[in-house]
């Protein structure tokens, strides 16, 4: 197996160290049509980072400093230092280390979070997770072996709505 390059994000731009595993090859000319070329498969440098319906993943070894915004779902198993804003669902994996404020629809924490969490639906602290900060959520679930150091505001008040601004 070929090891994947490490990714780093500064600000809101993802920078990835990429390299070409295969030598360049000559391509024959194809006739022009109005249909898209079905044989073309975009590579890492050929497409923008767009989350799929099932969600996106920031895997272990990824380190981000700055703000993270996503639409549907995101699973983070790396390190983030900064704010996380979304109207979607966030899963913080067991290897994840988050330092900063989280504002999402729902969050499932399995790793470590140092910062406040504001959700509009549900916050779950799984066994083995650690949260150091305040939580505001309509619903809060804390497993038996989770560590939570902070205050919790649970209910359905207007103050629980996060102020999230996503790019249009």
């Amino acid at each position: 197996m070929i090891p994947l390059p490490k990714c780093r994000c500064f600000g809101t731009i993802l920078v990835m160290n990429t390299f070409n595993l295969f030598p360049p090859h000559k391509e024959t000319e194809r006739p022009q049509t109005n249909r898209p070329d079905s044989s073309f498969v975009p590579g890492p440098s050929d497409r923008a980072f767009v989350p799929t319906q099932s969600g996106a993943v920031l895997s272990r070894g990824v380190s981000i400093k700055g703000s993270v915004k996503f639409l549907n779902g995101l699973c983070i198993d790396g390190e983030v230092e900064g704010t996380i804003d979304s109207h979607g669902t966030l899963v913080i994996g067991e290897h994840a280390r988050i330092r900063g404020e989280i504002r999402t629809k729902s969050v499932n924490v399995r790793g470590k979070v140092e910062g406040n969490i504001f959700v509009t639906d549900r916050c779950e602290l799984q066994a083995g997770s650690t949260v150091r900060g305040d939580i505001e959520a309509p619903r809060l679930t804390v497993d038996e072996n989770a560590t939570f150091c902070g205050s919790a505001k649970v209910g359905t008040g207007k103050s629980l709505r996060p102020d999230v601004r996503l790019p249009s």
Side-chain angles (χ1 to χ4, degrees):
M1 181 190 284
I2 299 171
L4 295 175
K6 287 196 174 185
C7 301
R8 294 202 181 269
C9 182
F10 300 95
T12 56
I13 299 171
L14 183 66
V15 178
M16 183 171 166
N17 299 328
T18 60
F19 53 90
N20 194 352
L21 297 175
F22 305 102
H25 64 299
K26 287 187 180 180
E27 203 155 315
T28 59
E29 262 189 56
R30 297 175 192 229
Q32 295 224 346
T33 64
N34 290 337
R35 292 180 288 143
D37 184 3
S38 61
S39 65
F40 177 73
V41 177
S45 62
D46 298 327
R47 64 179 174 206
F49 177 73
V50 179
T52 62
Q53 287 288 20
S54 61
V57 176
L58 294 174
S59 63
R60 191 174 181 183
V62 175
S63 177
I64 295 177
K65 201 174 218 180
S67 63
V68 176
K69 296 183 180 190
F70 62 96
L71 296 174
N72 298 321
L74 177 64
C75 177
I76 298 176
D77 208 25
E79 296 180 15
V80 174
E81 185 176 331
T83 60
I84 300 173
D85 291 326
S86 177
H87 291 291
T89 300
L90 175 64
V91 175
I92 299 172
E94 62 185 36
H95 301 107
R97 305 291 177 262
I98 311 295
R99 285 188 193 153
E101 188 174 275
I102 298 172
R103 291 182 176 271
T104 64
K105 176 183 173 188
S106 63
V107 65
N108 184 324
V109 181
R110 298 177 190 157
K112 294 187 191 298
V113 176
E114 291 180 29
N116 297 333
I117 298 174
F118 302 93
V119 296
T120 57
D121 186 28
R122 179 183 188 96
C123 179
E124 292 183 49
L125 307 183
Q126 299 287 326
S129 67
T130 301
V131 174
R132 296 185 189 286
D134 298 339
I135 296 175
E136 287 189 23
R139 294 183 290 167
L140 174 63
T141 304
V142 182
D143 279 354
E144 191 173 314
N145 291 323
T147 302
F148 173 44
C149 300
S151 65
K153 188 184 226 181
V154 181
T156 56
K158 287 188 178 184
S159 66
L160 296 177
R161 293 192 152 278
D163 184 26
V164 177
R165 290 179 184 87
L166 296 175
S168 10

